[in-house]
Amino acid sequence: MSKTLLSRIKPLHNPKPKTPSPSNFPLTRRIKELVNEVCNILQTHDQWEHAVETRLSEEEIVPSDIAHLVFDKLKDAHVGLKFFDWVSQRPYGCPLDRFAYSSLLKLLAKFRVFPEIESLLSDLTTCEDKFPTLEALDAVIKAYSDSNLVDKAVELYYFVLKTYDLVPHVVTVNSLLQTLVKHGKTKVARRLYDELIEKSGGVENNFLDNFSTCIIVTGLSKEGNVEEGGKLIEDRWGKGCVPNVVFYNTLINGYCKKGDIRSAYGLFNELKLKSFLPTVETYGALINGFCKDGHFEKVDMLVQEMVARGVIVSARVYNTIIDARCRLGFTGEAIDTVRKMVEAGSKPDIVTYNILISYSCKDEKIQEAEKFLEQVKNMGLVPTKFSYTPMIHAYCKFGDFERALSLLAEMTEYGDKPDVSTYGALVHGLVVSGEVDVALVIRDKMIERGVSPDAGIYNVLMSGLCKNLKLPAARQLLDEMLGHGILPDAYVYATLVDGCVRNGEFQEAKKLFEQTIEMGMDPGLVGYNAMIKGYCKFGLMKDAVACISRMKKSKISPDAFTYSTVIDGYVKQHDLRRALMIIPHMVKRNCMPNVVTYSSLIYGFCQNGDLVRAENLFNGMQSNGMMPNVITYSILVGSFCKVGKLAKAASIFEQMLMHKCYPTDVTFNYLVNGFSHCTPTIFSKEKNDPQDEKNSMFMATFKRMISDGWHPINAAYNSIITCLCLHKMLKTALLLRDKMISKGYTTDSVTFAALLHGICLDEKSKEWKSIISCSLSATELSAALKYSLIFDQYLSHGSDSEASVILHTLVKDHVS
């Protein structure tokens, strides 16, 4: 900003015209006592009419004379309305004056009785002698504003402005401005603000105050127009605006939310130069901004500055830092921040621990989450649903439903009743893990406990049932959903359409899809994609393309999934030419091919026997930053095995493991079948693929085992297990060993050596005996050591691995 925000300003005196006071009676002590008595009768007597009439007759006072005083004193709007009706309908006496009506309006406004307010206003504003006072209308405008009835507040504000040619009290104006900004109507608030500036001739006035300007600046900042907010402060400098630290905080916070941390920090330095003292809000906004960008050096510097200035670093500020460190993967630093927090005398609160629990669960470190939950209890903090929900979800993901359910029960014991979000996490976790029946039981339990499932939970359950080909149960769930008065959305119908497609009921899928549109419901992208998937699955490619045109007409843009589905459909129809023609349409609509697109095309080229183009496409997708998935790798592994290019298949498999893509049984079957049936060609074709042979652990292991007389199937299994172990996939290797045994193939010295390497690489060398058993003879141990030393060559140690050391010891012990 070009000018300083500081200024000393003296507001101009611009008093409103005096409103005449009621002239019925002077407010003497006797009248005050009488009013108190009447109010007491009104509020405590059921048959109050006679009692009030008698008491007023004794003083020779007509009820209408003191009505305004009674309304001002009453503490019940409904009692006030009854008194108003009684006084208004009396056959004699003076009618109520404008002051009585105004007092009633203020009473109704105080208790937010809006229907009666609107009815009364309608009568009063058309009768000049009953016209409400500005004070009463002020109260109604503020009541509307405070109750978020912003349109009515604005309408009445302009009515008052037009009728009185005066502005309501500045407190009322500010309430209205604040409500407008809160509801995202900053433009309306700014127009109102500017009108008041213009009405004052642009000089100091009592229409607005510092807070008025700050409200507008806050609104502009929330919308990202921080520079405009700063300019407004400059323009109002010396004209009714005295900039203070609140203004700076508003702008700094606005810049931070906008992502312009540089401007925010510049304003922070300007604030200090102008001798303002930064507050915890100032530092909090900046720390939040730097945390979003991961600039933790600046964060640490600001925290140190807060401490040096004596500004208390609140738990909220620390929680911001802890959350940011966890979000960016610096969990260790986050825990260190908690330690510093404690050392600084700021106690971690439940939010602190909920952050740590949540990110531990996201990182699949469930035992750490358990420790944090235990610390919560030990510190006397009360766990909330945000403590338990991430853990429930994580345990479901790991398949430990017993622990998930016990946490649900524990959460209830602590008094925080599971809500639809908590149950939703549990249901979702169970469905994802394939435990749909258990998820249905949880659905029953939540209904028993008075928590109604929402459309999201029903959708997840129906999706799980459909994927398990339990379509009748999914339909039954839809009926139940309707029975509970929960209207299905487009996602629910899309799920059922997809379920019908999976179940082979194409006509039913088509019927459901058309019904969705007939009911006036937009199927949305998900619904159209489900139907297109159905057309493609059943080979109706013309209908699939027509469905894309239909969705475009409905202003729904196809996405990568849409196009990839159609490409896959053409490939499965052996129409690679049309599949390739879809790509330009994708690119034209800024839908870049994804891993599914590439995998389908690679499969198409492999089907046509064009492995060169398949491999080129495979390399191209990686060059474009697209990582292949297990399907992509398995397609190529299977295709190269099928044509006898085993070194190439082994190379692709090892790339797969190197990129931490876990293979499936399909991948293993391709390799075992390929290597067991093409063994004679391996040595004869060795020179054909020199690049693929080089540094291939799989090929080295397999060829050595064949040379040493192993059966090809055992050699293939052991080569796979070796690669898995040396790429730190021990769990997958152990599962494959079990499947190998279940198929009648025995483990041997090479299996043992490979698994021992995997255990040591998994840093479990001390417990290897509890993971694998060793019943090898001296000869077998020597063979295991021989292969272990071969494996060491691929680990780049330069010395014997821990596994080889263990084997040396075993051989030595056996000999001795």
Side-chain angles (χ1 to χ4, degrees), residues 133-323:
T133 63
L134 184 58
E135 183 186 6
L137 293 170
D138 243 17
V140 176
I141 294 171
K142 192 170 186 309
Y144 278 138
S145 298
D146 293 345
S147 301
N148 297 314
L149 298 171
V150 62
D151 292 335
K152 289 184 179 297
V154 170
E155 182 184 355
L156 188 56
Y157 165 82
Y158 279 110
F159 174 80
V160 171
L161 197 65
K162 179 181 177 182
T163 305
Y164 280 89
D165 193 29
L166 288 173
V167 179
H169 192 276
V170 66
V171 174
T172 304
V173 171
N174 285 345
S175 178
L176 178 55
L177 292 174
Q178 205 164 19
T179 305
L180 285 166
V181 167
K182 176 184 172 182
H183 287 267
K185 297 187 176 185
T186 302
K187 287 183 179 178
V188 179
R190 179 65 192 274
R191 185 175 68 244
L192 192 153
Y193 176 90
D194 288 343
E195 287 170 357
L196 291 177
I197 297 296
E198 186 179 350
K199 189 174 180 65
S200 70
V203 298
E204 294 177 296
N205 61 82
N206 59 355
F207 301 156
L208 302 166
D209 59 11
N210 247 22
F211 187 44
S212 316
T213 306
C214 196
I215 291 168
I216 302 300
V217 172
T218 301
L220 292 169
S221 297
K222 278 174 67 177
E223 293 183 350
N225 300 322
V226 192
E227 290 81 4
E228 189 179 341
K231 186 176 183 302
L232 176 63
I233 296 172
E234 290 181 7
D235 291 344
R236 294 297 300 148
W237 174 52
K239 301 171 186 175
C241 176
V242 183
N244 55 35
V245 71
V246 177
F247 284 91
Y248 278 107
N249 288 348
T250 302
L251 294 175
I252 288 169
N253 190 43
Y255 277 124
C256 289
K257 286 184 177 179
K258 189 180 177 181
D260 188 355
I261 191 66
R262 184 175 179 180
S263 295
Y265 195 61
L267 207 55
F268 173 71
N269 288 326
E270 180 186 324
L271 177 153
K272 291 189 288 185
L273 283 172
K274 302 304 178 185
S275 300
F276 281 114
L277 292 176
T279 64
V280 67
E281 288 78 18
T282 322
Y283 286 108
L286 273 174
I287 286 171
N288 189 38
F290 281 122
C291 280
K292 284 179 181 176
D293 290 345
H295 293 160
F296 293 112
E297 288 182 6
K298 284 283 188 184
V299 169
D300 292 339
M301 183 196 75
L302 286 168
V303 170
Q304 289 171 11
E305 186 177 315
M306 287 179 77
V307 173
R309 286 179 175 268
V311 180
I312 296 172
V313 187
S314 65
R316 185 175 180 179
V317 171
Y318 276 117
N319 288 340
T320 298
I321 301 169
I322 292 163
D323 183 72

Side-chain angles (χ1 to χ4, degrees), residues 12 28 50 76 115 171 184 233 330 362 423 466 494 576 583 661 725:
L12 290 175
T28 63
H50 178 69
D76 188 323
V171 174
I233 296 172
F330 303 114
K362 284 180 183 177
Y423 280 115
C466 289
L576 192 56
I583 300 294
C661 180
C725 287

Side-chain angles (χ1 to χ4, degrees), residues 27 42 44 135 148 157 203 227 283 285-286 336 369 397 433 466 575 597 624 627 633 645 658 701 771:
L27 192 56
L42 287 169
T44 58
E135 183 186 6
N148 297 314
Y157 165 82
V203 298
E227 290 81 4
Y283 286 108
L286 273 174
D336 190 52
K397 188 177 179 181
S433 303
C466 289
D575 193 344
T597 319
N624 291 330
M627 290 307 298
Y633 283 115
K645 293 191 174 184
M658 185 174 65
T701 305
I771 301 172

Side-chain angles (χ1 to χ4, degrees), residues 35 109 111 147 155 175 219 266 313 354 387 512 596 620 633 712 749 774:
V35 168
F111 291 96
S147 301
E155 182 184 355
S175 178
V313 187
N354 285 350
S387 316
L512 268 171
V596 178
Y633 283 115
S749 53
C774 179

Side-chain angles (χ1 to χ4, degrees), residues 543-617:
D543 292 304
V545 173
C547 198
I548 291 179
S549 299
R550 187 176 180 182
M551 71 189 290
K552 288 178 184 175
K553 288 178 182 177
S554 298
K555 307 299 182 185
I556 299 172
S557 298
D559 64 356
F561 180 86
T562 318
Y563 289 114
S564 297
T565 301
V566 175
I567 288 170
D568 188 59
Y570 277 125
V571 166
K572 286 174 179 172
Q573 292 294 310
H574 305 283
D575 193 344
L576 192 56
R577 182 181 66 84
R578 279 197 172 90
L580 290 168
M581 286 170 64
I582 299 294
I583 300 294
H585 292 284
M586 284 186 77
V587 176
K588 186 179 178 181
R589 286 190 165 266
N590 293 321
C591 285
M592 298 310 295
N594 58 22
V595 66
V596 178
T597 319
Y598 280 109
S599 297
S600 296
L601 291 173
I602 288 168
Y603 178 72
F605 284 123
C606 288
Q607 266 191 325
N608 288 0
D610 193 346
L611 294 182
V612 173
R613 290 186 72 181
E615 191 177 7
N616 287 341
L617 195 59

